[in-house]
């Protein structure tokens, strides 16, 4: 097994590598020394031939010239040698510094062999993120940490780099850590060529936070679309339901005008009764709409309370309906606490209890249960009754605005829509279960953001 080592491509470019061959000044000095030596030899020879009787002076003069030239040459050689070793020392320090910077990068950096795909270099960021030691990674390949690739598929990605068709390739994939956990990454691949054929350099960027931000954006986009759709349905329903009492008022105003001309007192009173009832109905609708629009916009301070306390307050608000129908209400005694907008949570139970009492039908022993159950890992609150039940075909309409499955029943049909809105504001969901007509109903909802 070959150990992980410093990659051969960690070298300096010509623009940053020190010049260890000496500067031009040193070269000029060396040329000057040789010129002086040559001049000395020529002058010595000439002097010798003209003054052969004094040849000992020539020898002395030539010796001095050679001595001076040799000393100068030695000094120049020593300076050149010192400069050479110093430049090498600086280059080695710069190389070590650059290697340390790459090794300590927080991004994962891998270098692997084009033939075997085995890692030849990994940095500290890679070891920390992936959970392997350098010794362990030296025997692995990119395929061991990329579970989504086969060798054939991975080499297909590398092929454009090998063929010289592209300088780099960027793609997103999944990395698997030593402990088996996975995380999304963006990989940048390039082929770094050298005299030995080259190596693949891969720089990895962990994009977990980016994926979370994208998911949050998509979630917000979906919620916005749902709100827009809800607003469209809301406007359609409001215009439809408010139009009915307006038509009644308009029609009976015409009748009222005719009856007043005829001085028909009894018909006038009848007309006024219809107009008054229509106006009251419109007032109720507007008040209910106002309640609905205030949910989520007007929020009370979040407080903690027991489930029994919230339910008891709701039961007191509909005590007249419960007593009038003789419903036996059973509330759980399990100690459960809820934190949230308490007035709104009271409204949830108030509307569910009122709805259950309203649709008890001819049940001789009307009964209602209020409690909480654990399903999987979440608390599920419920209001169960033994009333008339619900036809499965109509379940999807229950939580719609102004939806009334029994047209002649009391109320505006906004109660369950209000329940749905409040529960969703608290991060939960609401649904109904019923085996069919005459078999009772069970409304369930969750409040994940309201743990005690």
């Amino acid at each position: 097994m070959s150990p992980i080592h410093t990659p051969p491509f960690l070298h300096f470019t010509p623009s940053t590598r020190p010049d260890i061959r000496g500067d031009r000044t040193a070269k000029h000095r060396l040329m000057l020394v040789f010129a002086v030596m040559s001049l000395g030899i020529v002058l010595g020879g000439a002097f010798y031939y003209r003054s052969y009787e004094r040849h000992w002076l020539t020898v002395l003069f030539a010796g001095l010239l050679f001595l001076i030239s040799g000393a100068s040459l030695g000094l120049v050689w020593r300076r050149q040698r010192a400069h050479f070793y110093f430049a090498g020392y600086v280059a080695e320090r710069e190389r070590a510094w650059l290697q340390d910077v790459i090794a300590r990068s927080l991004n994962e950096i891998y270098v692997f062999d084009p033939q075997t795909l085995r890692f030849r270099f990994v940095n500290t960021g890679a070891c920390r993120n992936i959970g392997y030691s350098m010794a362990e990674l030296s025997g692995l390949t990119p395929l061991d940490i990329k579970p989504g690739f086969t060798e054939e598929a991975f080499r297909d990605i590398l092929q454009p780099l090998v063929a010289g068709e592209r300088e780099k390739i960027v793609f997103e994939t999944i990395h698997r850590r030593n402990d088996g956990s996975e995380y999304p990454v963006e990989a940048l691949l390039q082929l770094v060529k050298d005299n030995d054929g080259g190596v693949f350099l891969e720089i990895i960027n962990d994009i977990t936070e980016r994926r979370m931000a994208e998911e949050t954006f998509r979630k917000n986009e979906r919620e916005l679309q749902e709100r827009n759709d809800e607003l469209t349905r809301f406007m359609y329903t409001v215009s439809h339901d408010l139009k009915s009492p307006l038509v009644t008022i308009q029609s009976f105003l015409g009748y009222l005008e005719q009856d007043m001309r005829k001085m028909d007192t009894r018909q006038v009173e009848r007309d006024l009764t219809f107009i008054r009832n229509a106006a009251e109905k419109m007032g109720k609708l507007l008040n209910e709409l106002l309640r609905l629009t205030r949910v989520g916009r007007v929020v009370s301070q979040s407080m903690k309370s027991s489930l029994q306390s919230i339910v008891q307050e709701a039961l007191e608000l509909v005590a007249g309906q419960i007593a009038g129908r003789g419903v036996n209400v059973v509330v759980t005694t399990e100690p459960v606490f809820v934190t949230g907008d308490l007035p709104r949570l009271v409204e949830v139970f108030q509307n569910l209890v009122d709805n259950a009492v309203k649709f008890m039908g001819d049940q001789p022993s009307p009964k209602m249960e209020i409690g909480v159950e654990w399903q999987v890992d979440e608390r599920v609150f419920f209001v169960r009754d033994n009333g008339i039940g619900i036809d499965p075909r109509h379940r999807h309409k229950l939580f719609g605005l102004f939806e009334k499955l029994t047209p002649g029943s009391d109320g505006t049909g906004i109660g369950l829509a209000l329940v749905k809105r409040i529960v969703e504001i608290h991060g939960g969901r609401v649904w109904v279960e019923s085996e069919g007509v005459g078999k009772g109903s069970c409304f369930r909802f969750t409040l994940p953001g309201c743990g005690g």
Side-chain angles (χ1 to χ4, degrees):
M1 181 183 299
S2 58
I4 294 178
H5 59 278
T6 303
F9 59 88
L10 289 183
H11 60 81
F12 292 91
T13 61
S15 61
T16 60
R17 184 171 54 242
D19 186 2
I20 62 176
R21 296 171 295 178
D23 54 27
R24 293 185 177 182
T25 302
K27 292 180 181 179
H28 293 164
R29 288 176 181 172
L30 188 60
M31 292 173 64
L32 180 61
V33 169
F34 280 107
V36 170
M37 291 176 61
S38 301
L39 180 62
I41 294 173
V42 173
L43 290 177
F47 185 78
Y48 173 76
Y49 284 111
R50 296 188 61 179
S51 306
Y52 58 87
E53 65 277 2
R54 288 180 291 180
H55 62 276
W56 60 273
L57 290 174
T58 301
V59 174
L60 179 62
F61 180 71
L64 287 174
L65 287 176
F66 273 107
L67 181 62
I68 293 172
S69 299
S72 298
L73 183 61
L75 289 174
V76 171
W77 177 81
R78 184 176 181 181
R79 286 171 59 89
Q80 286 290 91
R81 187 166 178 268
H83 178 75
F84 175 84
Y85 282 111
F86 178 74
Y89 169 74
V90 172
E92 188 61 34
R93 284 193 60 186
E94 292 291 332
R95 186 179 294 108
W97 172 80
L98 180 58
Q99 181 183 354
D100 184 61
V101 169
I102 294 175
R104 290 197 291 173
S105 171
L106 296 179
N107 290 92
E108 301 174 35
I109 299 178
Y110 301 91
V111 176
F112 57 93
D113 187 90
Q115 303 300 324
T116 65
L117 299 183
R118 282 196 173 187
F119 292 123
R120 293 175 56 181
F121 171 84
V122 293
N123 71 334
T124 305
C127 293
R128 187 177 68 177
N129 291 351
I130 207 70
Y132 288 97
S133 67
M134 289 189 179
E136 290 173 326
L137 283 170
S138 65
L140 302 181
T141 71
L143 301 176
D144 294 309
I145 61 175
K146 291 179 170 61
F149 282 98
T150 61
E151 181 174 352
E152 182 180 1
F154 190 63
R155 288 193 182 275
D156 286 342
I157 288 183
L158 301 178
Q159 182 56 35
L161 298 176
V162 176
E165 299 172 358
R166 298 180 63 178
E167 293 183 349
K168 65 179 180 179
I169 293 176
V170 180
F171 62 97
E172 293 184 4
T173 184
I174 298 294
H175 267 196
R176 178 177 292 163
R177 296 186 178 93
N178 191 16
D179 61 7
S181 61
E182 298 180 351
Y183 60 103
V185 299
E186 180 184 71
L188 185 150
L189 265 173
Q190 65 183 94
L191 178 62
V192 182
K193 296 184 178 180
D194 59 14
N195 296 332
D196 296 328
V199 290
F200 282 112
L201 169 67
E202 185 178 33
I203 301 176
I204 299 296
N205 182 30
D206 187 340
I207 58 173
T208 301
E209 292 184 0
R210 190 175 80 188
R211 286 283 181 87
M212 292 174 62
E214 291 173 352
E215 180 59 32
T216 300
F217 175 78
R218 285 192 292 268
K219 180 181 178 182
N220 292 339
E221 190 176 33
R222 287 194 301 269
E223 290 180 352
L224 180 60
Q225 184 61 46
E226 290 173 0
R227 293 289 180 267
N228 288 336
D229 294 342
E230 182 181 351
L231 180 60
T232 301
R233 292 192 299 269
F234 176 82
M235 296 302 297
Y236 174 80
T237 305
V238 168
S239 62
H240 178 271
D241 285 77
L242 289 181
K243 186 177 180 180
S244 177
L246 282 174
V247 170
T248 300
I249 292 173
Q250 185 177 13
S251 299
F252 277 90
L253 280 175
Y255 296 147
L256 178 63
E257 184 179 4
Q258 296 175 10
D259 294 335
M260 289 183 68
R261 285 176 183 171
K262 296 178 182 179
M263 302 299 290
D264 190 340
T265 307
R266 193 175 69 173
Q267 287 297 327
V268 167
E269 291 180 356
R270 174 177 170 273
D271 296 336
L272 289 175
T273 299
F274 276 104
I275 293 174
R276 187 180 302 109
N277 291 339
E280 289 177 355
K281 181 180 180 181
M282 182 179 292
K284 282 185 178 181
L285 290 174
L286 291 174
N287 287 333
E288 293 294 337
L289 287 174
L290 181 60
R291 287 177 61 197
L292 184 63
T293 57
R294 286 170 60 87
V295 176
R297 185 170 56 86
V298 179
V299 182
S300 301
Q301 182 179 0
S302 182
M303 299 180 65
K304 182 177 180 180
S305 177
S306 67
L307 174 64
Q308 287 76 14
S309 176
I310 295 173
V311 171
Q312 183 60 38
E313 186 173 347
L315 293 177
E316 290 175 359
L317 293 173
V318 289
Q321 294 93 310
I322 294 174
R325 187 62 183 82
V327 180
N328 177 28
V329 181
V330 179
V331 181
T332 180
T333 57
E334 181 181 351
V336 178
F337 290 88
V338 179
T339 302
D341 187 343
L342 297 187
R344 297 301 182 198
L345 296 178
V346 169
E347 282 188 73
V348 169
F349 284 100
Q350 176 189 348
N351 280 285
L352 291 178
V353 170
D354 183 52
N355 184 79
V357 172
K358 191 182 303 180
F359 296 101
M360 277 295 176
D362 299 328
Q363 176 61 247
S365 303
K367 182 179 180 180
M368 187 188 313
E369 296 177 70
I370 302 175
V372 61
E373 297 174 342
W374 281 95
Q375 294 185 1
V376 191
D377 293 327
E378 63 179 352
R379 293 189 307 181
V380 179
F381 300 88
F382 66 87
V383 176
R384 182 185 294 118
D385 65 70
N386 60 350
I388 64 175
I390 300 170
D391 190 325
R393 295 175 299 174
H394 299 153
R395 287 183 190 175
H396 66 284
K397 299 171 60 178
L398 277 178
F399 299 98
L401 191 62
F402 299 131
E403 290 286 358
K404 297 176 67 176
L405 300 186
T406 307
S409 60
D410 295 334
T412 59
I414 204 172
L416 293 181
L418 190 63
V419 168
K420 181 175 183 290
R421 180 68 174 151
I422 295 173
V423 169
E424 289 178 347
I425 288 294
H426 285 81
R429 55 195 177 90
V430 59
W431 68 98
V432 63
E433 298 173 354
S434 177
E435 295 181 3
V437 178
K439 297 184 178 181
S441 306
C442 182
F443 285 83
R444 298 181 183 273
F445 62 94
T446 62
L447 297 172
C450 301

